[in-house]
Short mmCIF file of all heavy atoms in Angstrom, two decimals:
data_model
loop_
_atom_site.label_atom_id
_atom_site.label_comp_id
_atom_site.label_asym_id
_atom_site.label_seq_id
_atom_site.Cartn_x
_atom_site.Cartn_y
_atom_site.Cartn_z
N CYS A 1 0.84 -1.21 0.00
CA CYS A 1 0.00 0.00 0.00
C CYS A 1 0.87 1.26 0.00
O CYS A 1 0.59 2.22 -0.72
CB CYS A 1 -0.92 0.01 1.22
SG CYS A 1 -2.21 -1.25 1.17
N TYR A 2 1.93 1.23 0.80
CA TYR A 2 2.82 2.40 0.85
C TYR A 2 3.58 2.59 -0.46
O TYR A 2 3.85 3.72 -0.87
CB TYR A 2 3.77 2.30 2.04
CG TYR A 2 4.50 3.59 2.32
CD1 TYR A 2 3.81 4.80 2.42
CD2 TYR A 2 5.87 3.60 2.49
CE1 TYR A 2 4.48 5.98 2.68
CE2 TYR A 2 6.55 4.78 2.76
CZ TYR A 2 5.86 5.97 2.84
OH TYR A 2 6.53 7.14 3.10
N ASP A 3 3.90 1.50 -1.13
CA ASP A 3 4.55 1.59 -2.44
C ASP A 3 3.67 2.34 -3.44
O ASP A 3 4.18 3.06 -4.30
CB ASP A 3 4.90 0.21 -2.98
CG ASP A 3 6.10 -0.42 -2.30
OD1 ASP A 3 6.83 0.30 -1.58
OD2 ASP A 3 6.30 -1.64 -2.46
N LEU A 4 2.35 2.19 -3.30
CA LEU A 4 1.43 2.93 -4.17
C LEU A 4 1.54 4.44 -3.93
O LEU A 4 1.46 5.23 -4.87
CB LEU A 4 -0.01 2.47 -3.94
CG LEU A 4 -0.32 1.02 -4.34
CD1 LEU A 4 -1.71 0.62 -3.85
CD2 LEU A 4 -0.20 0.84 -5.85
N ALA A 5 1.74 4.82 -2.68
CA ALA A 5 1.93 6.24 -2.35
C ALA A 5 3.25 6.74 -2.91
O ALA A 5 3.32 7.82 -3.53
CB ALA A 5 1.88 6.45 -0.84
N ARG A 6 4.29 5.98 -2.70
CA ARG A 6 5.61 6.38 -3.20
C ARG A 6 5.63 6.50 -4.72
O ARG A 6 6.28 7.39 -5.26
CB ARG A 6 6.66 5.37 -2.76
CG ARG A 6 7.00 5.46 -1.30
CD ARG A 6 8.06 4.45 -0.98
NE ARG A 6 8.60 4.66 0.35
CZ ARG A 6 9.53 3.90 0.89
NH1 ARG A 6 10.03 2.88 0.22
NH2 ARG A 6 9.97 4.14 2.09
N ALA A 7 4.91 5.62 -5.40
CA ALA A 7 4.85 5.67 -6.86
C ALA A 7 4.19 6.96 -7.35
O ALA A 7 4.41 7.39 -8.48
CB ALA A 7 4.08 4.47 -7.41
N ARG A 8 3.41 7.60 -6.48
CA ARG A 8 2.76 8.87 -6.80
C ARG A 8 3.55 10.06 -6.26
O ARG A 8 3.06 11.18 -6.23
CB ARG A 8 1.34 8.86 -6.27
CG ARG A 8 0.42 7.94 -7.05
CD ARG A 8 -0.84 7.58 -6.27
NE ARG A 8 -1.74 6.77 -7.07
CZ ARG A 8 -1.57 5.48 -7.34
NH1 ARG A 8 -0.51 4.85 -6.88
NH2 ARG A 8 -2.45 4.81 -8.07
N GLY A 9 4.77 9.79 -5.78
CA GLY A 9 5.62 10.86 -5.27
C GLY A 9 5.26 11.33 -3.87
O GLY A 9 5.67 12.42 -3.46
N LEU A 10 4.51 10.53 -3.12
CA LEU A 10 4.07 10.91 -1.78
C LEU A 10 4.85 10.14 -0.73
O LEU A 10 5.29 9.01 -0.95
CB LEU A 10 2.57 10.64 -1.61
CG LEU A 10 1.66 11.43 -2.55
CD1 LEU A 10 0.25 10.85 -2.54
CD2 LEU A 10 1.64 12.89 -2.15
N SER A 11 5.00 10.76 0.44
CA SER A 11 5.64 10.09 1.57
C SER A 11 4.81 10.34 2.83
O SER A 11 4.03 11.29 2.89
CB SER A 11 7.07 10.57 1.76
OG SER A 11 7.08 11.95 2.05
N LEU A 12 5.03 9.51 3.82
CA LEU A 12 4.26 9.60 5.05
C LEU A 12 4.79 10.72 5.94
O LEU A 12 5.94 10.70 6.35
CB LEU A 12 4.34 8.26 5.81
CG LEU A 12 3.54 8.18 7.09
CD1 LEU A 12 2.04 8.16 6.79
CD2 LEU A 12 3.93 6.93 7.87
N ALA A 13 3.93 11.70 6.20
CA ALA A 13 4.28 12.75 7.16
C ALA A 13 4.08 12.22 8.57
O ALA A 13 4.94 12.39 9.44
CB ALA A 13 3.43 13.99 6.94
N ASN A 14 2.94 11.57 8.82
CA ASN A 14 2.71 10.92 10.10
C ASN A 14 1.51 9.99 10.01
O ASN A 14 0.68 10.09 9.11
CB ASN A 14 2.51 11.92 11.23
CG ASN A 14 1.16 12.59 11.21
OD1 ASN A 14 0.81 13.25 10.23
ND2 ASN A 14 0.39 12.41 12.27
N ALA A 15 1.47 9.06 10.97
CA ALA A 15 0.34 8.15 11.14
C ALA A 15 -0.04 8.17 12.60
O ALA A 15 0.83 8.13 13.48
CB ALA A 15 0.72 6.74 10.71
N ASP A 16 -1.34 8.25 12.87
CA ASP A 16 -1.86 8.23 14.23
C ASP A 16 -2.83 7.06 14.32
O ASP A 16 -3.83 7.03 13.60
CB ASP A 16 -2.55 9.55 14.54
CG ASP A 16 -3.01 9.64 15.99
OD1 ASP A 16 -2.44 8.94 16.85
OD2 ASP A 16 -3.96 10.41 16.26
N ILE A 17 -2.53 6.09 15.17
CA ILE A 17 -3.26 4.84 15.23
C ILE A 17 -3.77 4.62 16.65
O ILE A 17 -3.04 4.84 17.62
CB ILE A 17 -2.34 3.66 14.84
CG1 ILE A 17 -1.73 3.91 13.46
CG2 ILE A 17 -3.09 2.33 14.90
CD1 ILE A 17 -0.46 3.13 13.20
N THR A 18 -5.03 4.15 16.76
CA THR A 18 -5.60 3.80 18.05
C THR A 18 -6.11 2.37 18.01
O THR A 18 -6.93 2.03 17.16
CB THR A 18 -6.76 4.74 18.43
OG1 THR A 18 -6.30 6.09 18.43
CG2 THR A 18 -7.31 4.40 19.81
N LEU A 19 -5.60 1.54 18.91
CA LEU A 19 -6.13 0.20 19.11
C LEU A 19 -7.26 0.30 20.12
O LEU A 19 -7.12 0.96 21.15
CB LEU A 19 -5.03 -0.73 19.65
CG LEU A 19 -5.49 -2.15 20.02
CD1 LEU A 19 -5.89 -2.94 18.77
CD2 LEU A 19 -4.41 -2.87 20.81
N ILE A 20 -8.38 -0.37 19.83
CA ILE A 20 -9.54 -0.37 20.73
C ILE A 20 -9.75 -1.81 21.18
O ILE A 20 -10.18 -2.66 20.38
CB ILE A 20 -10.79 0.18 20.02
CG1 ILE A 20 -10.47 1.54 19.37
CG2 ILE A 20 -11.95 0.31 21.00
CD1 ILE A 20 -11.42 1.93 18.27
N ALA A 21 -9.42 -2.10 22.44
CA ALA A 21 -9.50 -3.46 22.95
C ALA A 21 -9.49 -3.46 24.47
O ALA A 21 -8.82 -2.63 25.08
CB ALA A 21 -8.31 -4.28 22.44
N GLU A 22 -10.24 -4.38 25.05
CA GLU A 22 -10.17 -4.58 26.49
C GLU A 22 -8.91 -5.39 26.81
O GLU A 22 -8.24 -5.15 27.79
CB GLU A 22 -11.41 -5.31 27.00
CG GLU A 22 -12.72 -4.56 26.80
CD GLU A 22 -12.84 -3.31 27.64
OE1 GLU A 22 -12.31 -3.26 28.77
OE2 GLU A 22 -13.50 -2.37 27.16
N ARG A 23 -8.64 -6.37 25.98
CA ARG A 23 -7.48 -7.24 26.08
C ARG A 23 -7.02 -7.55 24.68
O ARG A 23 -7.85 -7.63 23.78
CB ARG A 23 -7.82 -8.56 26.81
CG ARG A 23 -8.27 -8.38 28.23
CD ARG A 23 -7.05 -8.35 29.16
NE ARG A 23 -7.44 -8.30 30.56
CZ ARG A 23 -7.51 -7.18 31.28
NH1 ARG A 23 -7.22 -6.04 30.73
NH2 ARG A 23 -7.85 -7.21 32.53
N PRO A 24 -5.77 -7.79 24.42
CA PRO A 24 -4.67 -7.75 25.37
C PRO A 24 -4.24 -6.32 25.66
O PRO A 24 -4.49 -5.41 24.87
CB PRO A 24 -3.57 -8.51 24.64
CG PRO A 24 -3.82 -8.23 23.19
CD PRO A 24 -5.32 -8.16 23.07
N ARG A 25 -3.57 -6.16 26.76
CA ARG A 25 -2.96 -4.87 27.08
C ARG A 25 -1.68 -4.76 26.26
O ARG A 25 -0.91 -5.71 26.19
CB ARG A 25 -2.64 -4.77 28.57
CG ARG A 25 -3.85 -4.88 29.46
CD ARG A 25 -4.71 -3.66 29.34
NE ARG A 25 -5.78 -3.70 30.32
CZ ARG A 25 -6.73 -2.80 30.40
NH1 ARG A 25 -6.75 -1.79 29.57
NH2 ARG A 25 -7.66 -2.91 31.30
N VAL A 26 -1.46 -3.61 25.64
CA VAL A 26 -0.33 -3.50 24.71
C VAL A 26 0.73 -2.49 25.14
O VAL A 26 1.71 -2.29 24.42
CB VAL A 26 -0.81 -3.16 23.29
CG1 VAL A 26 -1.65 -4.28 22.72
CG2 VAL A 26 -1.54 -1.83 23.25
N ARG A 27 0.56 -1.88 26.28
CA ARG A 27 1.49 -0.83 26.72
C ARG A 27 2.95 -1.25 26.56
O ARG A 27 3.78 -0.47 26.08
CB ARG A 27 1.21 -0.45 28.17
CG ARG A 27 2.18 0.60 28.71
CD ARG A 27 1.86 1.02 30.12
NE ARG A 27 0.58 1.73 30.12
CZ ARG A 27 -0.41 1.50 30.99
NH1 ARG A 27 -0.27 0.58 31.92
NH2 ARG A 27 -1.52 2.18 30.92
N ASP A 28 3.27 -2.47 26.93
CA ASP A 28 4.66 -2.94 26.88
C ASP A 28 5.13 -3.25 25.46
O ASP A 28 6.31 -3.57 25.27
CB ASP A 28 4.84 -4.18 27.75
CG ASP A 28 4.64 -3.88 29.23
OD1 ASP A 28 4.75 -2.70 29.63
OD2 ASP A 28 4.37 -4.83 29.99
N HIS A 29 4.25 -3.17 24.47
CA HIS A 29 4.59 -3.53 23.10
C HIS A 29 4.55 -2.35 22.12
O HIS A 29 4.98 -2.48 20.99
CB HIS A 29 3.64 -4.63 22.59
CG HIS A 29 3.62 -5.83 23.47
ND1 HIS A 29 4.58 -6.81 23.43
CD2 HIS A 29 2.75 -6.19 24.46
CE1 HIS A 29 4.30 -7.73 24.33
NE2 HIS A 29 3.20 -7.38 24.97
N VAL A 30 4.05 -1.22 22.58
CA VAL A 30 3.84 -0.07 21.69
C VAL A 30 5.14 0.41 21.05
O VAL A 30 5.18 0.68 19.85
CB VAL A 30 3.11 1.07 22.42
CG1 VAL A 30 3.18 2.37 21.62
CG2 VAL A 30 1.66 0.69 22.68
N GLU A 31 6.19 0.53 21.81
CA GLU A 31 7.45 1.04 21.22
C GLU A 31 7.98 0.09 20.15
O GLU A 31 8.47 0.54 19.11
CB GLU A 31 8.49 1.31 22.30
CG GLU A 31 8.16 2.54 23.14
CD GLU A 31 7.82 3.77 22.30
OE1 GLU A 31 8.64 4.15 21.43
OE2 GLU A 31 6.74 4.36 22.52
N GLU A 32 7.88 -1.21 20.40
CA GLU A 32 8.32 -2.17 19.39
C GLU A 32 7.46 -2.05 18.13
O GLU A 32 7.97 -2.12 17.01
CB GLU A 32 8.28 -3.59 19.93
CG GLU A 32 8.83 -4.62 18.96
CD GLU A 32 8.78 -6.04 19.50
OE1 GLU A 32 8.33 -6.27 20.64
OE2 GLU A 32 9.21 -6.94 18.74
N MET A 33 6.15 -1.86 18.31
CA MET A 33 5.26 -1.67 17.15
C MET A 33 5.67 -0.43 16.35
O MET A 33 5.72 -0.47 15.13
CB MET A 33 3.80 -1.51 17.62
CG MET A 33 3.17 -2.73 18.19
SD MET A 33 1.50 -2.31 18.76
CE MET A 33 1.16 -3.67 19.85
N ARG A 34 5.96 0.65 17.05
CA ARG A 34 6.37 1.88 16.37
C ARG A 34 7.65 1.66 15.58
O ARG A 34 7.77 2.15 14.45
CB ARG A 34 6.56 3.01 17.39
CG ARG A 34 5.25 3.48 18.01
CD ARG A 34 5.46 4.57 19.03
NE ARG A 34 5.96 5.77 18.38
CZ ARG A 34 6.84 6.61 18.93
NH1 ARG A 34 7.33 6.38 20.13
NH2 ARG A 34 7.23 7.68 18.28
N ILE A 35 8.59 0.93 16.15
CA ILE A 35 9.85 0.64 15.45
C ILE A 35 9.58 -0.20 14.21
O ILE A 35 10.11 0.10 13.12
CB ILE A 35 10.84 -0.07 16.40
CG1 ILE A 35 11.32 0.90 17.48
CG2 ILE A 35 12.01 -0.66 15.63
CD1 ILE A 35 12.05 0.22 18.64
N VAL A 36 8.77 -1.23 14.33
CA VAL A 36 8.45 -2.11 13.19
C VAL A 36 7.79 -1.32 12.07
O VAL A 36 8.20 -1.40 10.90
CB VAL A 36 7.55 -3.29 13.63
CG1 VAL A 36 6.95 -4.01 12.44
CG2 VAL A 36 8.34 -4.26 14.50
N LEU A 37 6.78 -0.54 12.41
CA LEU A 37 6.05 0.22 11.38
C LEU A 37 6.94 1.28 10.75
O LEU A 37 6.94 1.46 9.53
CB LEU A 37 4.79 0.85 11.96
CG LEU A 37 3.74 -0.14 12.48
CD1 LEU A 37 2.53 0.61 13.03
CD2 LEU A 37 3.33 -1.15 11.43
N ALA A 38 7.70 2.00 11.56
CA ALA A 38 8.60 3.03 11.02
C ALA A 38 9.64 2.41 10.10
O ALA A 38 9.95 2.96 9.04
CB ALA A 38 9.27 3.79 12.16
#
């Protein structure tokens, strides 16, 4: 999907994501998720 943006000369300025869940708790995993996505 991001390659489609790049092919149009666009790049990601920012992404803001919200997980909505009672479980699992993700606080201890958020930084790793940010690293993976970035």
